Amino acid sequence: MSRFTWFNATALTFGFAFLYLPMVILIVYSFNESRLVTVWAGFSTKWYGELFRNEQFLDAAWVTLRVAFFSATIATVLGTMAAYVLVRGGRFFGRTLFSGMIYAPLVMPEVITGLSLLLLFISINLDRGIFTIILAHTTFCMAYVSVVVSSRLVSFDRSVEEAALDLGATPFDAFRSVTLPIIMPAVVSGWLLGFTLSLDDLVIASFTAGPAATTLPIQIFSSVRLGVSPEINALSTILIGIVALGVVTASLISKRNLVRQARDARRAIQAGAEDAREARAT
């Protein structure tokens, strides 16, 4: 029985249109000749040239990329460690409190998180800038990384790790040589998720950024309050392209890892079958 109906097709069409039609319109009007973003005056790429000559946007983009890279990297390391402790640590004193502190940023409103971090930085006399934004973004990105890596560790076959330990490997060597390569797709996915969230954050960054450190979302928000310019359309199109490229790259990496694991599994099965045939022959 076919599940395709006109109702499903119509619902799917409207759903995709609701999600992606505004992005398509934004991309189309980024190539508009006119300065008026709602009036089409012909195809042109001049606003991309204007964008790359805008020092404010370029400086904000460089700050945002640095913050996203370092916060995603630190959050990936800390989130992976936290996920490993939660999954492999068993029952220990303070586990409930520890897990609650790890996952609290997932449900905490961003305004509360940003305000609490601002009060913390003021109380310890820490000047706001790139460093404080990195600390703030690491705080909530770490929670997302922990969720992604924990889901992979829960389904991890520990017999492979135990085999490495039986062969004389230390726990650290077993984690570095066996566990980490297997969970690496989840670690990479967590890093990409953290990088994207940091790249997109506005609320927390507005609380923790200083006068000398303006991120791209803050700059865009400040510019939009004075009116949407074609330069913002061009910048948004570039960001959409970067995110789309990251998603496609992550999908290709994940697919390649699955193919490699399937190939290794077939080789192991073939090797086992050959060993069994040799054993029967002798």
Side-chain angles (χ1 to χ4, degrees):
M1 177 178 165
S2 176
R3 296 183 179 180
F4 177 80
T5 62
W6 286 109
F7 176 79
N8 293 339
T10 303
L12 186 64
T13 302
F14 277 103
F16 278 112
F18 179 79
L19 291 174
Y20 297 108
L21 186 59
M23 297 183 187
V24 173
I25 295 175
L26 183 146
I27 294 172
V28 170
Y29 276 95
S30 68
F31 297 99
N32 187 14
E33 175 72 24
S34 173
R35 177 172 288 276
L36 300 176
V37 295
T38 58
V39 178
W40 180 259
F43 181 85
S44 175
T45 59
K46 70 176 184 179
W47 301 114
Y48 288 88
E50 294 291 334
L51 173 64
F52 286 108
R53 287 190 292 269
N54 191 320
E55 295 294 335
Q56 292 181 338
F57 278 125
L58 293 179
D59 293 340
W62 176 237
V63 170
T64 302
L65 290 175
R66 282 189 291 170
V67 169
F69 176 81
F70 286 110
S71 61
T73 303
I74 299 173
T76 300
V77 175
L78 297 179
T80 302
M81 295 171 61
Y84 192 85
V85 170
L86 289 174
V87 175
R88 300 293 181 84
R91 306 298 302 178
F92 57 88
F93 179 76
R95 174 186 170 86
T96 303
L97 178 62
F98 179 74
S99 61
M101 293 175 63
I102 292 296
Y103 297 133
L106 294 174
V107 296
M108 189 71 66
E110 290 186 341
V111 175
I112 303 300
T113 302
L115 181 59
S116 61
L117 289 171
L118 173 62
L119 295 177
L120 173 64
F121 296 147
I122 293 176
S123 64
I124 62 178
N125 293 323
L126 183 62
D127 294 333
R128 287 178 293 164
I130 294 178
F131 181 67
T132 54
I133 303 175
I134 292 174
L135 292 179
H137 285 189
T138 302
T139 301
F140 69 86
C141 289
M142 185 177 66
Y144 290 92
V145 175
S146 298
V147 171
V148 175
V149 178
S150 295
S151 62
R152 181 65 184 92
L153 284 172
V154 169
S155 60
F156 181 81
D157 186 7
R158 299 191 62 178
S159 61
V160 181
E161 194 177 58
E162 293 173 354
L165 295 174
D166 292 338
L167 293 174
T170 62
F172 177 76
D173 291 334
F175 175 81
R176 178 176 57 85
S177 303
V178 178
T179 307
L180 187 58
I182 294 177
I183 67 172
M184 185 56 68
V187 175
V188 174
S189 299
W191 188 91
L192 291 173
L193 180 60
F195 184 85
T196 304
L197 291 172
S198 176
L199 202 70
D200 180 65
D201 178 69
L202 170 65
V203 178
I204 295 178
S206 63
F207 280 97
T208 57
T214 302
T215 62
L216 197 56
I218 296 176
Q219 184 65 39
I220 293 175
F221 181 74
S222 301
S223 301
V224 168
R225 294 176 64 181
L226 302 176
V228 180
S229 66
E231 294 179 14
I232 296 179
N233 288 344
L235 178 60
S236 301
T237 301
I238 294 175
L239 292 177
I240 292 173
I242 292 174
V243 173
L245 181 62
V247 171
V248 172
T249 303
S251 300
L252 293 176
I253 292 174
S254 178
K255 183 178 179 179
R256 186 180 64 179
N257 289 331
L258 291 175
V259 172
R260 185 180 60 184
Q261 291 176 6
R263 184 176 63 250
D264 293 340
R266 287 195 300 268
R267 289 177 179 176
I269 293 173
Q270 292 175 358
E274 291 177 358
D275 293 339
R277 286 196 297 267
E278 292 178 358
R280 288 195 298 269
T282 56

